[in-house]
Amino acid sequence: MNYPIKGFNPSTFIDWDGSIASVIYLAGCNFRCPYCHSSKLTGPGDAIDDVPLDRIIEFLEGKKGWIDGVIVAGGEPTMYSRLPELLTRLRQLPLKLKLDTNGSFPEMLSELIQRDLIDYVAMDVKAPLVNDKYQRISGSDIDVARISASIDLLLSKDLDYEFRTTVVPMLERNDILAISQRIAGARRYILQQFDPRDTLDPDLGSLKPYPPEELKLLASMCAEFVQQTSVRGA
């Protein structure tokens, strides 16, 4: 079976807290976030060679007892109707499976949870759930009702997860607080530092990231609404 696998990181210690994981990158995304650093994966990735799944599975089988799990990231993995097939093959190893998603395909997310094909979800919440703002930050015409459905799904299920927001300076303090209020009761909310290098929109290269102290202050303010907050990359 061919899948749009355009990248494979054999091991990472930072993308799944407490786990040593491999990362599979699928090409294609329905968002065009101007601050994205994976611009080569937003399209179909035709200029990038495929990474054969059989080769990945062979590697993982050879690392049993060392690799804890596999992260399926992108791009946006939930765009693909065959994602359950891919996860089913990985489930046979067996390893823990984590999904990175923008939350815009709640039907697929629900199917994966119901079929017990994922152990952890990291969902990006790009902005407050107001259509015009979310569309501007995500570079898409997404209806925030779809994002809201995915948030509610994760909040209601007995599944480990985190919500995360890249604190690009296009967002203000009140925006971050509005997100934390929308995900009130969540287990984990991560504020990620904005990196102005190699962004999809080169104009963002002139934007200065918020100082680390501001992100830490925001995390402490959000702690009123969610169980655990932290800052990454600052």
Side-chain angles (χ1 to χ4, degrees):
M1 297 181 183
N2 294 321
Y3 300 93
I5 300 174
K6 297 297 181 175
F8 177 64
N9 182 359
S11 63
T12 174
F13 299 86
I14 62 173
D15 293 303
W16 192 345
D17 290 347
S19 297
I20 302 172
S22 297
V23 189
I24 291 173
Y25 297 96
L26 303 183
C29 188
N30 57 323
F31 284 5
R32 292 295 182 272
C33 304
Y35 55 87
C36 178
H37 294 287
S38 301
S39 57
K40 292 181 179 179
L41 294 174
T42 56
D46 293 339
I48 308 173
D49 291 337
D50 288 342
V51 180
L53 179 59
D54 288 344
R55 187 189 305 166
I56 293 173
I57 289 177
E58 181 181 0
F59 169 85
L60 294 170
E61 288 177 334
K63 297 296 182 181
K64 284 183 179 178
W66 189 70
I67 297 292
D68 299 312
V70 179
I71 302 168
V72 179
E76 178 47 47
T78 60
M79 287 177 57
Y80 294 100
S81 62
R82 296 178 65 198
L83 179 61
E85 297 177 36
L86 172 60
L87 294 173
T88 297
R89 285 201 66 185
L90 294 171
R91 260 288 189 240
Q92 295 168 358
L93 291 173
L95 288 168
K96 296 188 302 179
L97 299 178
K98 173 181 178 242
L99 174 71
D100 285 4
T101 181
N102 62 27
S104 59
F105 293 90
E107 302 88 354
M108 176 59 75
L109 181 59
S110 179
E111 178 181 351
L112 298 179
I113 295 172
Q114 290 175 4
R115 294 175 59 177
D116 191 30
L117 291 175
I118 44 178
D119 301 290
Y120 193 100
V121 175
M123 177 180 161
D124 292 308
V125 183
K126 307 289 184 178
L129 270 63
V130 178
N131 270 319
D132 57 351
K133 177 159 285 190
Y134 215 98
Q135 290 168 1
R136 180 168 61 91
I137 296 295
S138 68
S140 75
D141 60 356
I142 185 68
D143 181 353
V144 296
R146 301 187 64 77
I147 306 300
S148 185
S150 291
I151 290 173
D152 290 338
L153 183 64
L154 292 179
L155 289 174
S156 68
K157 297 297 182 180
D158 185 20
L159 177 79
D160 210 1
Y161 65 87
E162 67 185 51
F163 295 108
R164 57 193 189 186
T165 300
T166 298
V167 190
V168 62
M170 299 159 68
L171 295 171
E172 300 176 352
R173 183 180 293 183
N174 286 341
D175 293 325
I176 302 301
L177 290 176
I179 295 171
S180 68
Q181 291 169 340
R182 175 58 186 84
I183 62 171
R187 297 180 183 178
R188 220 169 273 112
Y189 184 36
I190 314 296
L191 301 182
Q192 301 180 146
Q193 178 62 288
F194 162 67
D195 185 345
R197 297 171 295 178
D198 301 319
T199 52
L200 182 62
D201 181 353
D203 289 342
L204 267 64
S206 61
L207 281 183
K208 187 176 180 180
Y210 286 120
E213 295 75 17
E214 175 67 12
L215 267 64
K216 293 175 183 176
L217 174 61
L218 282 170
S220 68
M221 296 172 70
C222 293
E224 178 181 350
F225 305 102
V226 298
Q227 298 178 35
Q228 179 184 341
T229 63
S230 61
V231 172
R232 285 185 187 147

